[in-house]
Amino acid sequence: MSKRLGRVIISTKKAPAAIGPYNQAVQVDNTLYVSGQIGFKPETMEIVEGGVEAEAKQALENMGHILQAANCTFNNVVKTTVLLKDINDFTKVNDVYKGFFKGNYPARAAYQAAALPRGAMVEIEAVAVVGDIAEK
């Protein structure tokens, strides 16, 4: 008989509420799945002004709050997916991204998407491992 896994819904008011039938994050066993974050200000649910860099920064700040709600940091993230309205913004987003991931970077994929929610220029999702990370 297989082991029964627990599922925990992660939610925080410090990050934008879900705008559809999904959760900010879901933890199953020691794996945390963080839904795609766009540059919403949690207080207004409006996308920040200032272009793709500002949106990427806000999306990652939102992700950080969700990670904290699951007792994690960016160091726990093992995989991200970056969706861009324009793949030519890759370098700009990458520069912002490096400010949140400080080494031992997670695996990552980046794609251009035909359209993102609410006209966003960037969306970032993540998979993290919950617990103490020992670098080897």
Side-chain angles (χ1 to χ4, degrees):
M1 188 163 155
S2 48
K3 173 182 159 186
R4 188 171 193 146
L5 301 175
R7 176 172 39 190
V8 178
I9 304 304
I10 305 297
S11 181
T12 177
K13 293 182 190 281
K14 293 181 179 180
I19 58 172
Y22 62 91
N23 291 292
Q24 290 173 333
V26 177
Q27 180 180 337
V28 177
D29 202 18
N30 69 333
T31 304
L32 179 69
Y33 302 90
V34 181
S35 293
Q37 296 299 303
I38 61 177
F40 276 146
K41 293 182 197 173
E43 313 81 43
T44 64
M45 293 299 288
E46 297 291 327
I47 294 176
V48 296
E49 295 180 3
V52 71
E53 294 100 331
E55 287 189 34
K57 182 177 183 286
Q58 185 66 54
L60 288 164
E61 287 174 357
N62 295 340
M63 182 180 291
H65 291 302
I66 295 167
L67 291 167
Q68 286 175 343
N71 297 312
C72 293
T73 69
F74 283 98
N75 191 53
N76 293 87
V77 176
V78 295
K79 169 74 168 73
T80 62
T81 303
V82 179
L83 302 170
L84 298 161
K85 180 179 177 182
D86 183 348
I87 198 69
N88 292 311
D89 288 331
F90 179 82
T91 301
K92 293 176 184 175
V93 171
N94 209 39
D95 288 342
V96 174
Y97 184 95
K98 288 187 287 190
F100 290 84
F101 295 97
K102 305 281 187 187
N104 292 322
Y105 299 115
R108 180 177 72 181
Y111 305 99
Q112 178 171 311
L116 294 172
R118 305 277 173 94
M121 300 173 80
V122 61
E123 179 174 0
I124 306 171
E125 66 176 22
V127 177
V129 177
V130 179
D132 293 328
I133 303 294
E135 302 297 339
K136 295 186 177 190

